[in-house]
Amino acid sequence: KGLKIIKQKNNFEKRCTWRETFRKNIIKWDNLIFDYVTTSKKNVLRGLHFQYKFKQAKFVSVIKGKIFDCVVDLRKSSKTFGKSFCIELSEKNCLSLYIPEGFAHSYYSHSDLNIIYYKLSNYWHPKYEDGLIWNDKNLKINWPSKKPLVSKKDKELKTFIEFKKKYGAF
């Protein structure tokens, strides 16, 4: 509930391609104030991350490459609490995903080089960042790889059951 998939269009000519990545008149349901770009190599899995204070809505687009993007609803009052949603985002399909506040977010990189563009509703506060372990069996996420490249920090994240004990919900 609350996720939005936005279809964009790649424009081509002999010299170049271009794509609108954000239009306030289309995406007007939040005040997105902060942008950043990440790059990831093939077989990298990042997340499932969230900020427990200064929660962030996110608008995610892939500028180059292809990712398996996945979110988990952490909002206790939501009918989809504890459920995951996954979608392929790529430079070719021109899909973007809007994620409201209260979700954990993650992605797996399919291509040799992946460039992911974010717009967020709040600034990054590493002090208030936490997450869920990517391979938690209770989340039933069918990741593209059984052995992705995962950071040490992400390998130490907690299960969804441990999240509920610590935070209750958002």
Side-chain angles (χ1 to χ4, degrees):
K1 184 167 173 58
L3 297 173
K4 308 251 187 240
I5 300 168
I6 297 92
K7 176 69 175 157
Q8 299 165 337
K9 180 183 174 196
N10 272 334
N11 298 283
F12 299 94
E13 69 171 55
K14 286 182 181 180
R15 301 173 301 130
C16 63
T17 63
W18 70 96
R19 174 172 124 197
E20 288 183 358
T21 55
F22 179 80
R23 290 186 67 119
K24 181 89 173 146
N25 64 341
I26 294 172
I27 303 166
K28 52 189 170 199
W29 50 82
D30 261 309
N31 291 320
L32 302 176
I33 61 166
F34 175 59
D35 293 27
Y36 73 90
V37 173
T38 66
T39 63
S40 290
K41 296 177 181 177
K42 188 174 187 165
N43 202 35
V44 167
L45 191 147
R46 298 173 73 156
L48 293 149
H49 300 144
F50 60 87
Q51 286 187 171
Y52 56 89
K53 189 174 179 184
F54 306 111
K55 295 177 183 81
Q56 298 171 307
K58 297 178 180 180
F59 176 75
V60 183
S61 298
V62 172
I63 305 303
K64 179 160 184 60
K66 178 171 79 170
I67 64 172
F68 178 82
D69 200 87
C70 191
V71 297
V72 175
D73 192 347
L74 303 178
R75 303 167 301 169
K76 184 74 169 175
S77 61
S78 173
K79 290 180 182 180
T80 54
F81 175 68
K83 303 284 187 217
S84 64
F85 173 81
C86 303
I87 187 171
E88 181 181 290
L89 304 178
S90 73
E91 67 183 299
K92 289 183 181 172
N93 72 15
C94 291
L95 295 178
S96 294
L97 181 63
Y98 170 79
I99 308 161
E101 292 179 0
F103 280 78
H105 177 247
S106 182
Y107 67 84
Y108 170 84
S109 299
H110 281 288
S111 303
D112 289 335
L113 175 62
N114 302 275
I115 302 173
I116 300 95
Y117 166 74
Y118 289 83
K119 281 190 92 54
L120 300 107
S121 64
N122 215 327
Y123 299 105
W124 182 48
H125 296 277
K127 179 178 175 182
Y128 301 108
E129 188 175 60
D130 204 346
L132 303 173
I133 189 76
W134 69 276
N135 59 354
D136 182 345
K137 293 187 184 343
N138 292 310
L139 297 177
K140 299 178 183 165
I141 300 169
N142 189 17
W143 293 103
S145 173
K146 300 287 186 224
K147 295 184 179 182
L149 301 172
V150 180
S151 72
K152 182 178 187 265
K153 178 181 107 175
D154 286 356
K155 287 178 182 176
E156 297 172 354
L157 294 173
K158 305 297 184 239
T159 66
F160 184 66
I161 290 170
E162 291 168 317
F163 162 84
K164 290 192 293 187
K165 287 178 185 172
K166 184 173 182 178
Y167 297 104
F170 289 158

